[in-house]
Amino acid sequence: MLALHLLQGSLVHVNTLLLQQVLAETAWARKLTDEDRRGLTALFWSNVNPYGTFRLDMDARLDLGPVAAVPRPRTSARAADRAGTETR
């Protein structure tokens, strides 16, 4: 059971790194609204093959290098409105 928890935690960590890479691209940053950002989750399993053949290339690594830009923190619409009026 502890191995399953470790596997799930590792998968969420890798998925989080993959999401950060996508969100660091300016094209995606412009397309996503605040509602889209609230709907993002690292709990997806489409990249997992629980049955079948696993072809491991031990000479290649996943490109999980440092992210160029970190997504901005989430704020409520009311806080964003207040921040916009204070700067004017």
Side-chain angles (χ1 to χ4, degrees), residues 1-82:
M1 186 169 138
L2 293 175
L4 179 59
H5 285 280
L6 180 62
L7 178 65
Q8 288 174 335
S10 300
L11 181 64
V12 169
H13 179 68
V14 169
N15 288 348
T16 301
L17 294 174
L18 292 172
L19 279 175
Q20 286 177 345
Q21 281 185 337
V22 170
L23 293 175
E25 297 176 13
T26 56
W28 280 106
R30 285 188 296 239
K31 286 182 182 182
L32 293 176
T33 64
D34 288 338
E35 289 79 19
D36 294 331
R37 288 179 180 274
R38 282 195 299 269
L40 290 176
T41 180
L43 302 175
F44 56 88
W45 298 89
S46 60
N47 56 335
V48 175
N49 181 7
Y51 310 105
T53 304
F54 294 88
R55 292 186 178 94
L56 298 177
D57 185 0
M58 299 303 284
D59 296 326
R61 297 184 64 137
L62 288 175
D63 184 20
L64 299 176
V67 178
V70 178
R72 60 186 166 86
R74 297 178 184 168
T75 59
S76 66
R78 184 177 295 165
D81 289 339
R82 275 189 263 140

